């Protein structure tokens, strides 16, 4: 726990997605953003915050309370080790978390031995529509849940220039749809429905210019016969002015009602046997990324460090998400259901 009013935060990485981290930190009153490190220091300088070419230099110069790691998975373990060696009090690390399950377990062990909270920046469960779904489930508004379906339709995967304008490294990822994208819903499904018992996956690559899979179906088994379906296709789109608001559409179905998530972030509940719907969440022009979920996650971590309660998405708990991911790839390779 950190009881000081001001939390000194340093960030590693100034790539595309880091802009949402910086914006969120700047809006949290208790935070002072003391440094940005990036191997291309010009990108770090463009943020307007103290810029550094390397992590070690930044850690020594700024002595941050918290390091926010916003770099690719292969950099995570070394960055976590460096932060622990320099005495940081907390670490947030972007997903996909570490380069392998083995590395992730090492990172968790090192942080636990140091007594330092290690949180995975898995922000989709913090999107307002999923928080509202969780509230509705807890209130029993749709009865006994039967299934949850999410249809990923980002519309950005067609042709030789797919992903190049925003995150070009996507083209080179040998594991793509699940490792980079569907992992969000592994975590979100667990948040809404509990732990996952088994998976069945049918994955395929549709764009020949990329290395990994970009479409597929995954069925998740939960307790009491509950199922979830992830239907992902990065070539197709959905009805939304901004397809990156929700990245797709969802149905959460129970014995007394169905909740529908639209591409504009609106949630509607239709009672069983009825045609009219009740609005649970109005669409709005959210600041930041996807319902301002980056801010919500970072606010949650700051509150936890200030003593408000336990953290969600600890790296120790997130190991389960990586185990499920591995089972999905085994299922796709072997063509059969895999227990988790």
């Amino acid at each position: 726990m950190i009881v000081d009013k001001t939390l000194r935060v340093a960030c590693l990485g100034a790539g595309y997605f880091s802009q949402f981290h910086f914006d969120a930190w700047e809006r949290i009153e208790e935070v002072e953003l003391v440094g940005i490190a990036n191997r291309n220091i010009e990108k770090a300088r463009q943020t307007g915050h103290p810029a550094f070419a390397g992590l070690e230099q930044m850690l020594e110069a700024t002595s941050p309370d918290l390091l926010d790691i916003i770099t690719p998975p292969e950099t995570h373990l070394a960055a976590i080790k460096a932060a622990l060696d320099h005495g940081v009090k907390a670490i947030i690390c972007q997903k996909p978390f570490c380069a392998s399950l083995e590395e992730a377990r090492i990172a968790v062990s090192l942080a636990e031995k140091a007594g330092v909270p290690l949180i995975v920046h898995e922000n989709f469960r913090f999107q307002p529509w999923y928080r509202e779904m969780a509230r509705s489930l807890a209130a029993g508004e749709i009865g006994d849940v039967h299934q949850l379906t999410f249809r990923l339709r980002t519309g950005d995967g067609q042709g030789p220039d797919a992903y190049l304008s925003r995150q070009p490294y996507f083209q080179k990822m040998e594991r793509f749809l699940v490792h980079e994208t569907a992992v969000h819903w592994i975590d979100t499904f667990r948040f809404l429905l509990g732990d996952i018992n088994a998976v069945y996956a049918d994955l395929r690559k549709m764009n020949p210019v990329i290395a990994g899979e970009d479409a597929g179906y995954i069925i998740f088994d939960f307790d009491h016969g509950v199922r979830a379906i992830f239907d992902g296709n990065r070539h197709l789109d959905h009805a939304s002015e901004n397809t990156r608001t929700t990245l797709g559409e969802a149905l959460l179905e129970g014995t007394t009602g169905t909740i529908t998530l639209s591409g504009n972030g609106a949630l509607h509940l239709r009672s069983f046997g009825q045609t009219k719907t009740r609005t649970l969440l109005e669409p709005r022009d959210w600041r930041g990324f996807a319902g301002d979920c980056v801010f919500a996650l970072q606010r949650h971590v700051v509150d936890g460090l200030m003593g408000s309660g336990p953290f969600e998405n600890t790296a120790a708990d997130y190991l389960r998400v990586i185990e499920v991911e591995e089972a999905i790839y085994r299922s796709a390779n072997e063509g059969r259901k895999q227990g988790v």
Side-chain angles (χ1 to χ4, degrees), residues 23-44:
D23 171 70
W25 288 128
E26 290 164 0
R27 287 187 279 143
I28 298 176
E29 182 180 0
E30 299 92 334
V31 164
E32 178 186 2
L33 199 50
V34 297
I36 312 292
N38 196 73
R39 60 186 178 183
N40 180 348
I41 195 171
E42 288 304 317
K43 285 188 175 181

Side-chain angles (χ1 to χ4, degrees), residues 11-162:
C11 297
L12 174 64
Y16 165 77
F17 201 80
S18 65
Q19 62 184 304
F20 304 110
H21 288 241
F22 304 153
D23 171 70
W25 288 128
E26 290 164 0
R27 287 187 279 143
I28 298 176
E29 182 180 0
E30 299 92 334
V31 164
E32 178 186 2
L33 199 50
V34 297
I36 312 292
N38 196 73
R39 60 186 178 183
N40 180 348
I41 195 171
E42 288 304 317
K43 285 188 175 181
R45 286 172 176 154
Q46 290 169 11
T47 68
H49 297 286
F52 301 87
L55 175 59
E56 293 278 353
Q57 179 190 17
M58 179 175 68
L59 292 172
E60 291 174 4
T62 63
S63 299
D65 298 309
L66 183 149
L67 177 67
D68 187 10
I69 301 169
I70 324 168
T71 51
E74 58 270 15
T75 67
H76 291 173
L77 182 56
I80 290 166
K81 287 179 177 178
L84 294 174
D85 287 344
H86 282 79
V88 299
K89 299 174 183 176
I91 302 170
I92 302 177
C93 186
Q94 256 291 356
K95 50 65 59 187
F97 179 52
C98 292
S100 66
L101 179 57
E102 180 182 4
E103 283 197 1
R105 286 171 173 159
I106 292 171
V108 167
S109 177
L110 291 173
E112 287 180 344
K113 288 178 181 177
V116 171
L118 175 58
I119 312 298
V120 176
H121 188 108
E122 179 51 84
N123 52 49
F124 275 46
R125 66 161 62 199
F126 287 92
Q127 291 172 355
W129 32 92
Y130 294 127
R131 304 309 270 198
E132 178 61 21
M133 279 187 185
R135 183 210 61 78
S136 182
L137 286 174
E141 292 181 343
I142 63 169
D144 296 329
V145 176
H146 279 205
Q147 65 185 57
L148 169 59
T149 304
F150 183 81
R151 298 172 63 252
L152 178 86
R153 297 292 187 268
T154 54
D156 59 354
Q158 297 185 20
D161 296 329

Side-chain angles (χ1 to χ4, degrees), residues 6-299:
T6 301
L7 186 72
R8 295 172 58 82
V9 173
C11 297
L12 174 64
Y16 165 77
F17 201 80
S18 65
Q19 62 184 304
F20 304 110
H21 288 241
F22 304 153
D23 171 70
W25 288 128
E26 290 164 0
R27 287 187 279 143
I28 298 176
E29 182 180 0
E30 299 92 334
V31 164
E32 178 186 2
L33 199 50
V34 297
I36 312 292
N38 196 73
R39 60 186 178 183
N40 180 348
I41 195 171
E42 288 304 317
K43 285 188 175 181
R45 286 172 176 154
Q46 290 169 11
T47 68
H49 297 286
F52 301 87
L55 175 59
E56 293 278 353
Q57 179 190 17
M58 179 175 68
L59 292 172
E60 291 174 4
T62 63
S63 299
D65 298 309
L66 183 149
L67 177 67
D68 187 10
I69 301 169
I70 324 168
T71 51
E74 58 270 15
T75 67
H76 291 173
L77 182 56
I80 290 166
K81 287 179 177 178
L84 294 174
D85 287 344
H86 282 79
V88 299
K89 299 174 183 176
I91 302 170
I92 302 177
C93 186
Q94 256 291 356
K95 50 65 59 187
F97 179 52
C98 292
S100 66
L101 179 57
E102 180 182 4
E103 283 197 1
R105 286 171 173 159
I106 292 171
V108 167
S109 177
L110 291 173
E112 287 180 344
K113 288 178 181 177
V116 171
L118 175 58
I119 312 298
V120 176
H121 188 108
E122 179 51 84
N123 52 49
F124 275 46
R125 66 161 62 199
F126 287 92
Q127 291 172 355
W129 32 92
Y130 294 127
R131 304 309 270 198
E132 178 61 21
M133 279 187 185
R135 183 210 61 78
S136 182
L137 286 174
E141 292 181 343
I142 63 169
D144 296 329
V145 176
H146 279 205
Q147 65 185 57
L148 169 59
T149 304
F150 183 81
R151 298 172 63 252
L152 178 86
R153 297 292 187 268
T154 54
D156 59 354
Q158 297 185 20
D161 296 329
Y163 319 116
L164 293 182
S165 63
R166 190 177 67 249
Q167 289 160 298
Y169 62 91
F170 280 6
Q171 286 202 359
K172 298 179 180 180
M173 295 181 71
E174 294 183 359
R175 289 183 169 189
F176 178 45
L177 179 72
V178 180
H179 183 61
E180 202 290 324
T181 306
V183 69
H184 288 302
W185 283 274
I186 297 174
D187 182 71
T188 301
F189 289 172
R190 291 183 72 232
F191 167 63
L192 292 171
L193 301 178
D195 205 8
I196 296 164
N197 301 323
V199 294
Y200 177 80
D202 175 12
L203 308 177
R204 62 197 191 278
K205 180 171 75 170
M206 302 183 67
N207 190 336
V209 307
I210 72 170
E213 80 284 357
D214 54 2
Y217 306 95
I218 309 168
I219 301 173
F220 299 84
D221 293 5
F222 298 84
D223 288 341
H224 310 297
V226 177
R227 297 290 186 267
I229 300 171
F230 175 86
D231 168 7
N233 189 317
R234 296 201 67 134
H235 293 245
L236 307 179
D237 70 353
H238 64 286
S240 178
E241 292 183 3
N242 178 5
T243 57
R244 288 179 60 74
T245 298
T246 62
L247 301 182
E249 301 164 327
L251 283 176
L252 179 58
E253 301 173 273
T255 53
T256 64
T258 296
I259 296 174
T260 302
L261 170 65
S262 302
N264 60 3
L267 276 185
H268 296 96
L269 188 154
R270 181 187 63 81
S271 295
F272 186 84
Q274 304 297 313
T275 58
K276 293 183 179 180
T277 63
R278 172 166 62 92
T279 300
L280 299 180
L281 186 68
E282 295 278 1
R284 56 177 281 193
D285 186 14
W286 293 91
R287 179 171 177 173
F289 173 75
D292 215 10
C293 60
V294 174
F295 175 86
L297 182 149
Q298 292 175 192
R299 177 73 262 178

